[in-house]
């Protein structure tokens, strides 16, 4: 089976065939580092982290580039407001981004270039576009001439004539056509700048990605990713300037993830529903956030809400409960035959789902089936005395862990993860572990006194609060529902 991906350029799923057999070159637009990242950034980066992981799982050698935009209008404005340099502001938020992504379990890309590290490459690319008539200099600014690129807007499928009719040239701009976009901006007071053939200035946003991707991946590469909000103008302009410069297709497959809504509304600071990753991780385990993101297909919109996060936490808990039960049941059991074929059907179903445009929602559905199968095995009478069942459970547990790892899940110790989840759940209920233990002791005393009605009432009272008691041969434990 081959991987199929939905290509935004063609509007359909296509068989994935990299330009070079066995090797994949992938570029994903990173963040503009002027503030803390929000849940939308979390989604985009988790999505392409999974694409990166899955391609390697399928045997490809992957070079994955994700950039930092560290010079931009927003960075300059914020730095001036704070009275610090743009460099210092960018450094602060690069560190914050790295911390957030590490918390969410992302693997580091192969390369993480910064725009300011590639100024010479950007200047060379801009000069190339001027030399071949695709761009023009105007008073220290340099603009790309969209009318000289006949296939402009082929990614977003917009009409240039219609867009030109509603466009205007802002005061101070020297461009010939309102749709032309800046490749290089002349220096203004209080802004960082670099020397160039057109005078001191700084790069425009779009040219940065074209320069960095070309230097690191070549003039044509396999996958370019980002959120749907980047299709126009950013990715459209990248295509125009890159293909005008080198005369060949820029990217083979364009992948774009869907939007994140908050309580079924578009996320917006003005609506008061804007959440940074740091806000969210104060309340939810990072793996819960990752699991939540992966419960929807990456191209679909996803609705962020407390209720949906709680459901994701419950879903992830089911996996950790199955893995924990397996670890306990298999402890001390002889290794024996590892039953390598156990779970092979699960892995095949998982692969088929992921091969179909990285369908993590469907893949998780198959993993849930695997967890249920593992629980059934563990529930069989005299399980530990059946060597074939022990071997099958061990193989299925290990398969679940390895496939979860492809998605960046199930990497924690199950017992420790479940304990942390229960403590967090108690806190939400306004209870402490001491409160629950005290009620367990009361119930134990009631049972010693043969006051079973009182013991049952204690169980019911805790259940009404959301705490379930579990009687085991080793004693009574508890969990938050």
């Amino acid at each position: 089976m081959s991987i199929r991906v939905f290509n935004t350029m063609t509007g359909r799923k296509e068989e994935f065939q990299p330009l070079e057999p066995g090797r994949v070159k992938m570029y994903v637009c990173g963040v503009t580092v002027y503030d803390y990242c929000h849940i939308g950034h979390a989604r985009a980066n988790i999505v392409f982290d999974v694409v990166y992981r899955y391609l390697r799982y399928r045997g490809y050698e992957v070079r994955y580039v994700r950039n930092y935009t560290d010079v931009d209008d927003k960075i300059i404005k914020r730095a001036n407001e704070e009275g610090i340099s743009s460099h210092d502001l960018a450094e602060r938020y690069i560190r914050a981004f790295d911390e957030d992504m590490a918390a969410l379990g992302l693997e580091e890309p192969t390369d993480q270039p910064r725009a300011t590290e590639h100024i010479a490459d950007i200047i060379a690319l801009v000069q190339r576009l001027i030399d071949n008539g695709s761009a023009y200099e105007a008073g220290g600014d340099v603009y790309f001439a969209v009318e000289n690129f006949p296939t402009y807007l082929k990614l977003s499928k917009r009409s240039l004539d219609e867009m030109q009719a509603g466009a205007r040239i802002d005061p101070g701009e020297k461009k010939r056509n309102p749709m032309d976009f800046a490749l290089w901006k002349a220096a203004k007071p209080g802004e960082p700048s670099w020397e160039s053939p057109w005078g001191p200035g700084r790069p425009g946003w779009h040219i940065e990605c074209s320069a960095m991707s070309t230097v690191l991946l070549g003039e044509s590469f396999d996958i370019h990713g980002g959120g749907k909000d980047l299709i126009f103008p950013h990715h459209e302009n990248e295509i125009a300037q890159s293909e005008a410069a080198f005369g060949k297709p820029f990217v083979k497959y364009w992948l774009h993830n869907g939007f994140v809504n908050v309580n079924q509304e578009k996320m917006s600071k003005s609506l008061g529903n804007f959440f940074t990753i740091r806000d969210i991780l104060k309340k939810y385990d990072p793996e819960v956030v990752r699991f939540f993101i992966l419960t929807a297909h990456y191209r679909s919109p996803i609705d962020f809400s407390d209720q949906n996060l709680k459901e994701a936490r419950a879903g992830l808990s089911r996996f950790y409960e199955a893995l924990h039960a397996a670890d306990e049941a298999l402890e001390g059991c002889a290794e024996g035959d590892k039953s390598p074929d156990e779970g092979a059907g699960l892995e095949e179903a998982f692969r088929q789902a992921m091969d179909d445009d990285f369908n993590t929602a469907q893949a998780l559905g198959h993993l849930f089936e695997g967890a249920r199968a593992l629980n059934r095995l563990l529930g069989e009478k005299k399980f530990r005395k059946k060597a074939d069942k022990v071997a099958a459970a061990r193989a299925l547990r290990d398969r679940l862990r390895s496939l979860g790892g492809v998605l960046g899940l199930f990497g924690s110790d199950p017992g420790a993860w479940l304990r942390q989840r229960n403590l967090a759940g108690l806190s939400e209920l306004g209870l402490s572990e001491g409160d629950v233990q005290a009620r367990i002791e009361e119930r134990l005393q009631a049972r010693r006194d043969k006051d079973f009605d009182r013991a049952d009432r204690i169980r019911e009272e805790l259940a009404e609060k959301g705490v379930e008691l579990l009687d085991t041969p080793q004693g009574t434990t508890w969990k938050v529902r």
Side-chain angles (χ1 to χ4, degrees):
M1 293 291 293
S2 61
I3 298 173
R4 291 175 61 79
V5 300
F6 184 89
N7 189 352
T8 305
M9 180 66 76
T10 61
R12 64 176 184 269
K13 288 182 186 177
E14 300 176 2
E15 183 177 350
F16 180 67
Q17 294 182 328
L19 296 169
E20 185 179 343
R23 300 184 67 189
V24 177
K25 295 178 180 179
M26 179 168 80
Y27 186 94
V28 174
C29 288
V31 290
T32 299
V33 284
Y34 74 98
D35 205 344
Y36 292 111
C37 292
H38 53 67
I39 185 63
H41 295 126
R43 185 182 198 189
N45 283 283
I46 288 170
V47 161
F48 290 103
D49 178 65
V50 169
V51 171
Y52 179 39
R53 288 169 180 262
Y54 188 70
L55 290 171
R56 287 184 299 157
Y57 161 80
R58 290 289 269 114
Y60 290 102
E61 178 187 335
V62 184
R63 185 167 187 183
Y64 172 24
V65 179
R66 184 187 66 209
N67 75 294
Y68 300 102
T69 293
D70 62 342
V71 56
D72 176 85
D73 293 344
K74 293 177 180 177
I75 296 172
I76 295 167
K77 180 176 182 292
R78 182 76 175 267
N80 288 340
E81 288 171 351
E82 295 193 17
I84 62 175
S85 71
S86 296
H87 171 79
D88 288 347
L89 185 91
E91 286 297 317
R92 177 204 301 170
Y93 289 114
I94 286 173
R95 286 195 300 273
F97 174 86
D98 290 345
E99 290 166 1
D100 289 345
M101 296 306 111
L104 292 170
L106 272 71
E107 295 195 358
E108 286 194 3
T110 320
D111 303 272
Q112 299 184 79
R114 305 180 186 199
T116 56
E117 297 171 343
H118 289 268
I119 297 296
D121 301 313
I122 291 167
I123 290 172
L125 181 55
V126 173
Q127 187 63 59
R128 185 185 185 106
L129 289 166
I130 292 174
D131 291 345
N132 71 17
S134 299
Y136 56 92
E137 188 267 341
D141 295 330
V142 180
Y143 294 99
F144 184 88
V146 297
E147 289 184 334
N148 293 348
F149 188 72
T151 58
Y152 187 60
L153 302 178
K154 62 183 175 180
L155 182 69
S156 59
K157 314 296 189 293
R158 300 183 180 206
S159 164
L160 182 58
D161 288 340
E162 289 178 6
M163 294 191 72
Q164 283 178 323
R168 65 185 180 87
I169 297 176
D170 292 329
E173 289 188 315
K174 312 174 190 71
K175 54 188 175 183
R176 301 169 184 167
N177 183 309
M179 292 301 297
D180 292 349
F181 57 89
L183 302 175
W184 187 262
K185 299 181 178 183
K188 295 177 183 176
E191 293 188 351
S193 64
W194 291 263
E195 290 300 324
S196 79
W198 322 288
R202 60 184 174 88
W205 175 32
H206 315 297
I207 197 69
E208 297 173 356
C209 285
S210 285
M212 287 183 282
S213 62
T214 299
V215 167
L216 294 168
L217 300 177
E219 295 168 5
S220 296
F221 54 94
D222 302 296
I223 295 174
H224 196 315
K228 284 186 177 178
D229 57 313
L230 296 179
I231 294 174
F232 181 86
H234 187 50
H235 289 167
E236 198 73 75
N237 291 352
E238 278 190 67
I239 292 169
Q241 62 205 13
S242 297
E243 296 188 358
F246 301 110
K248 61 180 68 173
F250 177 41
V251 171
K252 191 170 184 182
Y253 304 100
W254 287 89
L255 275 58
H256 292 95
N257 64 275
F259 295 114
V260 177
N261 296 321
V262 178
N263 293 316
Q264 300 182 339
E265 290 186 303
K266 183 178 179 181
M267 184 170 65
S268 166
K269 287 184 177 179
S270 63
L271 294 175
N273 64 356
F274 182 89
F275 297 99
T276 69
I277 294 171
R278 297 186 170 213
D279 294 333
I280 297 160
L281 296 188
K282 290 175 184 175
K283 191 170 183 180
Y284 293 99
D285 183 278
E287 193 173 349
V288 170
V289 177
R290 187 182 185 98
F291 185 87
F292 161 70
I293 295 293
L294 299 182
T295 56
H297 189 281
Y298 78 90
R299 285 189 287 112
S300 302
I302 190 170
D303 188 50
F304 177 85
S305 67
D306 272 333
Q307 181 59 36
N308 288 344
L309 264 292
K310 288 175 181 176
E311 289 176 5
R313 183 170 62 193
L316 182 58
S317 296
R318 286 164 59 189
F319 284 107
Y320 273 117
E321 285 166 356
L323 292 170
H324 183 54
D327 287 348
E328 291 200 324
L330 294 168
E331 187 175 1
C333 291
E335 285 290 327
D337 179 9
K338 291 193 176 181
S339 187
D341 293 335
E342 188 66 37
L346 169 64
E347 183 151 11
E348 179 59 27
F350 175 88
R351 282 180 56 160
Q352 286 185 15
M354 291 297 289
D355 281 353
D356 185 13
D357 195 30
F358 310 105
N359 193 333
T360 56
Q362 193 175 86
L364 284 172
H366 293 308
L367 294 185
F368 272 120
E369 288 293 333
R372 284 191 283 269
L374 179 58
N375 285 330
R376 286 194 295 271
L377 272 172
L378 300 175
E380 291 194 16
K381 289 184 178 179
K382 299 182 179 179
F383 163 78
R384 290 171 63 92
K385 294 184 178 180
K386 300 175 182 177
D388 59 330
K389 300 296 184 183
V390 168
R394 180 177 286 113
L396 186 51
R397 176 200 63 184
D398 293 347
R399 188 90 63 165
L400 270 173
R401 278 206 176 109
S402 65
L403 294 177
V406 176
L407 303 179
L409 299 171
F410 316 155
S412 299
D413 173 76
W417 193 91
L418 290 169
R419 175 171 171 74
Q420 196 60 38
R421 179 214 59 182
N422 281 325
L423 291 174
L426 276 187
S427 179
E428 289 180 14
L429 296 173
L431 298 172
S432 70
E433 189 175 17
D435 295 332
V436 176
Q437 281 303 135
R439 298 312 307 274
I440 289 174
E441 290 300 326
E442 284 182 48
R443 179 171 175 264
L444 181 60
Q445 187 59 51
R447 294 175 76 177
R448 289 195 195 103
D449 297 339
K450 301 192 184 304
D451 189 349
F452 298 112
D453 286 343
R454 181 166 167 247
D456 289 344
R457 281 198 305 275
I458 291 171
R459 175 192 282 277
E460 290 165 6
E461 287 168 7
L462 285 172
E464 287 172 3
K465 292 179 179 179
V467 178
E468 181 180 353
L469 297 186
L470 306 168
D471 292 318
T472 73
Q474 292 77 37
T476 300
T477 61
W478 58 273
K479 72 174 184 178
V480 175
R481 285 177 177 170

